[in-house]
Amino acid sequence: MFKNIFLCFILVSFFIACSSAQQKPEDNVKNSLVKFLNSVPSDDEESLYAAGVGTADKDTINETQRLGLSREAAIADAYRKLTEKIKAVKVRGGITVEQKIAKNDLTQTQVEGVIKNAIIEKEQFMDDGGCAVILKLNRKNIDSTLGSEEKKE
């Protein structure tokens, strides 16, 4: 009788242990990153948002340098995405910023100036040393510099 109970206990323990396999570190990073990216606010009538993700080479000299490089890569990625959003904004005459850039080199400089006003809304380092950031850009900066005609409802 005790042998049967003990054998049942062993089998149940084995199945529980197998079913609750530990998460890999890569899964933790992936889950953290997905959670972070899901927290990016939607663009609204006051602000544009862009998320960026970056990482540095594992062979970087030390941890501090690697984290710094990851952060800079994430910021650069977010700036690139913010630039893409700004290029879709309609300006005076009903053309997009991207079309205006094609006609006038000054517009590209203005876009770069506007983007420099973006602020880091949130940043997070991942367990693997990567970094994710959210940039926020006030639409008033776009409107005053580029003459945006977007409708604000």
Side-chain angles (χ1 to χ4, degrees), residues 127-138:
D127 291 340
D128 67 348
C131 184
V133 299
I134 298 173
L135 290 182
K136 175 182 177 182
L137 180 64
N138 189 323

mmCIF file with all atom_site columns, all heavy atoms in Angstrom, residues 127-138:
data_model
loop_
_atom_site.group_PDB
_atom_site.id
_atom_site.type_symbol
_atom_site.label_atom_id
_atom_site.label_alt_id
_atom_site.label_comp_id
_atom_site.label_asym_id
_atom_site.label_entity_id
_atom_site.label_seq_id
_atom_site.pdbx_PDB_ins_code
_atom_site.Cartn_x
_atom_site.Cartn_y
_atom_site.Cartn_z
_atom_site.occupancy
_atom_site.B_iso_or_equiv
_atom_site.pdbx_formal_charge
_atom_site.auth_seq_id
_atom_site.auth_comp_id
_atom_site.auth_asym_id
_atom_site.auth_atom_id
_atom_site.pdbx_PDB_model_num
ATOM 1  N N   . ASP A 1 127 ? 17.882 42.353 -19.268 1.00 0.00 ? 127 ASP A N   1
ATOM 2  C CA  . ASP A 1 127 ? 18.804 41.454 -18.568 1.00 0.00 ? 127 ASP A CA  1
ATOM 3  C C   . ASP A 1 127 ? 20.030 41.082 -19.404 1.00 0.00 ? 127 ASP A C   1
ATOM 4  O O   . ASP A 1 127 ? 21.074 40.742 -18.857 1.00 0.00 ? 127 ASP A O   1
ATOM 5  C CB  . ASP A 1 127 ? 18.086 40.164 -18.132 1.00 0.00 ? 127 ASP A CB  1
ATOM 6  C CG  . ASP A 1 127 ? 17.065 40.415 -17.037 1.00 0.00 ? 127 ASP A CG  1
ATOM 7  O OD1 . ASP A 1 127 ? 17.154 41.462 -16.360 1.00 0.00 ? 127 ASP A OD1 1
ATOM 8  O OD2 . ASP A 1 127 ? 16.176 39.558 -16.853 1.00 0.00 ? 127 ASP A OD2 1
ATOM 9  N N   . ASP A 1 128 ? 19.921 41.161 -20.723 1.00 0.00 ? 128 ASP A N   1
ATOM 10 C CA  . ASP A 1 128 ? 21.051 40.792 -21.576 1.00 0.00 ? 128 ASP A CA  1
ATOM 11 C C   . ASP A 1 128 ? 21.949 41.981 -21.907 1.00 0.00 ? 128 ASP A C   1
ATOM 12 O O   . ASP A 1 128 ? 22.871 41.876 -22.706 1.00 0.00 ? 128 ASP A O   1
ATOM 13 C CB  . ASP A 1 128 ? 20.562 40.136 -22.861 1.00 0.00 ? 128 ASP A CB  1
ATOM 14 C CG  . ASP A 1 128 ? 19.802 41.094 -23.767 1.00 0.00 ? 128 ASP A CG  1
ATOM 15 O OD1 . ASP A 1 128 ? 19.452 42.205 -23.317 1.00 0.00 ? 128 ASP A OD1 1
ATOM 16 O OD2 . ASP A 1 128 ? 19.548 40.723 -24.924 1.00 0.00 ? 128 ASP A OD2 1
ATOM 17 N N   . GLY A 1 129 ? 21.673 43.157 -21.295 1.00 0.00 ? 129 GLY A N   1
ATOM 18 C CA  . GLY A 1 129 ? 22.481 44.343 -21.534 1.00 0.00 ? 129 GLY A CA  1
ATOM 19 C C   . GLY A 1 129 ? 21.943 45.243 -22.624 1.00 0.00 ? 129 GLY A C   1
ATOM 20 O O   . GLY A 1 129 ? 22.486 46.315 -22.859 1.00 0.00 ? 129 GLY A O   1
ATOM 21 N N   . GLY A 1 130 ? 20.886 44.822 -23.296 1.00 0.00 ? 130 GLY A N   1
ATOM 22 C CA  . GLY A 1 130 ? 20.248 45.671 -24.300 1.00 0.00 ? 130 GLY A CA  1
ATOM 23 C C   . GLY A 1 130 ? 19.474 46.790 -23.618 1.00 0.00 ? 130 GLY A C   1
ATOM 24 O O   . GLY A 1 130 ? 19.312 46.809 -22.395 1.00 0.00 ? 130 GLY A O   1
ATOM 25 N N   . CYS A 1 131 ? 19.003 47.735 -24.403 1.00 0.00 ? 131 CYS A N   1
ATOM 26 C CA  . CYS A 1 131 ? 18.263 48.871 -23.851 1.00 0.00 ? 131 CYS A CA  1
ATOM 27 C C   . CYS A 1 131 ? 17.077 49.190 -24.760 1.00 0.00 ? 131 CYS A C   1
ATOM 28 O O   . CYS A 1 131 ? 17.141 48.986 -25.974 1.00 0.00 ? 131 CYS A O   1
ATOM 29 C CB  . CYS A 1 131 ? 19.184 50.088 -23.755 1.00 0.00 ? 131 CYS A CB  1
ATOM 30 S SG  . CYS A 1 131 ? 18.432 51.526 -22.975 1.00 0.00 ? 131 CYS A SG  1
ATOM 31 N N   . ALA A 1 132 ? 16.005 49.677 -24.158 1.00 0.00 ? 132 ALA A N   1
ATOM 32 C CA  . ALA A 1 132 ? 14.839 50.140 -24.906 1.00 0.00 ? 132 ALA A CA  1
ATOM 33 C C   . ALA A 1 132 ? 14.472 51.525 -24.386 1.00 0.00 ? 132 ALA A C   1
ATOM 34 O O   . ALA A 1 132 ? 14.563 51.777 -23.177 1.00 0.00 ? 132 ALA A O   1
ATOM 35 C CB  . ALA A 1 132 ? 13.670 49.176 -24.738 1.00 0.00 ? 132 ALA A CB  1
ATOM 36 N N   . VAL A 1 133 ? 14.110 52.423 -25.285 1.00 0.00 ? 133 VAL A N   1
ATOM 37 C CA  . VAL A 1 133 ? 13.711 53.780 -24.895 1.00 0.00 ? 133 VAL A CA  1
ATOM 38 C C   . VAL A 1 133 ? 12.429 54.173 -25.609 1.00 0.00 ? 133 VAL A C   1
ATOM 39 O O   . VAL A 1 133 ? 12.109 53.641 -26.675 1.00 0.00 ? 133 VAL A O   1
ATOM 40 C CB  . VAL A 1 133 ? 14.800 54.840 -25.210 1.00 0.00 ? 133 VAL A CB  1
ATOM 41 C CG1 . VAL A 1 133 ? 16.079 54.556 -24.461 1.00 0.00 ? 133 VAL A CG1 1
ATOM 42 C CG2 . VAL A 1 133 ? 15.048 54.973 -26.686 1.00 0.00 ? 133 VAL A CG2 1
ATOM 43 N N   . ILE A 1 134 ? 11.721 55.105 -25.016 1.00 0.00 ? 134 ILE A N   1
ATOM 44 C CA  . ILE A 1 134 ? 10.560 55.738 -25.649 1.00 0.00 ? 134 ILE A CA  1
ATOM 45 C C   . ILE A 1 134 ? 10.853 57.226 -25.715 1.00 0.00 ? 134 ILE A C   1
ATOM 46 O O   . ILE A 1 134 ? 11.149 57.848 -24.692 1.00 0.00 ? 134 ILE A O   1
ATOM 47 C CB  . ILE A 1 134 ? 9.263  55.497 -24.856 1.00 0.00 ? 134 ILE A CB  1
ATOM 48 C CG1 . ILE A 1 134 ? 8.937  54.010 -24.785 1.00 0.00 ? 134 ILE A CG1 1
ATOM 49 C CG2 . ILE A 1 134 ? 8.102  56.282 -25.495 1.00 0.00 ? 134 ILE A CG2 1
ATOM 50 C CD1 . ILE A 1 134 ? 7.764  53.674 -23.872 1.00 0.00 ? 134 ILE A CD1 1
ATOM 51 N N   . LEU A 1 135 ? 10.813 57.783 -26.930 1.00 0.00 ? 135 LEU A N   1
ATOM 52 C CA  . LEU A 1 135 ? 10.983 59.224 -27.121 1.00 0.00 ? 135 LEU A CA  1
ATOM 53 C C   . LEU A 1 135 ? 9.616  59.873 -27.285 1.00 0.00 ? 135 LEU A C   1
ATOM 54 O O   . LEU A 1 135 ? 8.713  59.289 -27.883 1.00 0.00 ? 135 LEU A O   1
ATOM 55 C CB  . LEU A 1 135 ? 11.812 59.525 -28.367 1.00 0.00 ? 135 LEU A CB  1
ATOM 56 C CG  . LEU A 1 135 ? 13.291 59.195 -28.335 1.00 0.00 ? 135 LEU A CG  1
ATOM 57 C CD1 . LEU A 1 135 ? 13.936 59.614 -29.657 1.00 0.00 ? 135 LEU A CD1 1
ATOM 58 C CD2 . LEU A 1 135 ? 13.997 59.864 -27.186 1.00 0.00 ? 135 LEU A CD2 1
ATOM 59 N N   . LYS A 1 136 ? 9.513  61.088 -26.784 1.00 0.00 ? 136 LYS A N   1
ATOM 60 C CA  . LYS A 1 136 ? 8.278  61.867 -26.909 1.00 0.00 ? 136 LYS A CA  1
ATOM 61 C C   . LYS A 1 136 ? 8.637  63.200 -27.559 1.00 0.00 ? 136 LYS A C   1
ATOM 62 O O   . LYS A 1 136 ? 9.594  63.858 -27.164 1.00 0.00 ? 136 LYS A O   1
ATOM 63 C CB  . LYS A 1 136 ? 7.691  62.108 -25.514 1.00 0.00 ? 136 LYS A CB  1
ATOM 64 C CG  . LYS A 1 136 ? 6.476  62.998 -25.506 1.00 0.00 ? 136 LYS A CG  1
ATOM 65 C CD  . LYS A 1 136 ? 5.996  63.218 -24.071 1.00 0.00 ? 136 LYS A CD  1
ATOM 66 C CE  . LYS A 1 136 ? 4.827  64.167 -24.017 1.00 0.00 ? 136 LYS A CE  1
ATOM 67 N NZ  . LYS A 1 136 ? 4.390  64.405 -22.623 1.00 0.00 ? 136 LYS A NZ  1
ATOM 68 N N   . LEU A 1 137 ? 7.859  63.568 -28.567 1.00 0.00 ? 137 LEU A N   1
ATOM 69 C CA  . LEU A 1 137 ? 8.062  64.843 -29.247 1.00 0.00 ? 137 LEU A CA  1
ATOM 70 C C   . LEU A 1 137 ? 6.763  65.628 -29.224 1.00 0.00 ? 137 LEU A C   1
ATOM 71 O O   . LEU A 1 137 ? 5.725  65.129 -29.656 1.00 0.00 ? 137 LEU A O   1
ATOM 72 C CB  . LEU A 1 137 ? 8.509  64.613 -30.694 1.00 0.00 ? 137 LEU A CB  1
ATOM 73 C CG  . LEU A 1 137 ? 8.760  65.871 -31.520 1.00 0.00 ? 137 LEU A CG  1
ATOM 74 C CD1 . LEU A 1 137 ? 9.915  66.680 -30.941 1.00 0.00 ? 137 LEU A CD1 1
ATOM 75 C CD2 . LEU A 1 137 ? 9.060  65.508 -32.959 1.00 0.00 ? 137 LEU A CD2 1
ATOM 76 N N   . ASN A 1 138 ? 6.835  66.838 -28.716 1.00 0.00 ? 138 ASN A N   1
ATOM 77 C CA  . ASN A 1 138 ? 5.677  67.721 -28.648 1.00 0.00 ? 138 ASN A CA  1
ATOM 78 C C   . ASN A 1 138 ? 5.340  68.203 -30.062 1.00 0.00 ? 138 ASN A C   1
ATOM 79 O O   . ASN A 1 138 ? 6.192  68.700 -30.782 1.00 0.00 ? 138 ASN A O   1
ATOM 80 C CB  . ASN A 1 138 ? 6.002  68.908 -27.732 1.00 0.00 ? 138 ASN A CB  1
ATOM 81 C CG  . ASN A 1 138 ? 4.805  69.754 -27.432 1.00 0.00 ? 138 ASN A CG  1
ATOM 82 O OD1 . ASN A 1 138 ? 3.945  69.980 -28.276 1.00 0.00 ? 138 ASN A OD1 1
ATOM 83 N ND2 . ASN A 1 138 ? 4.740  70.234 -26.211 1.00 0.00 ? 138 ASN A ND2 1
#
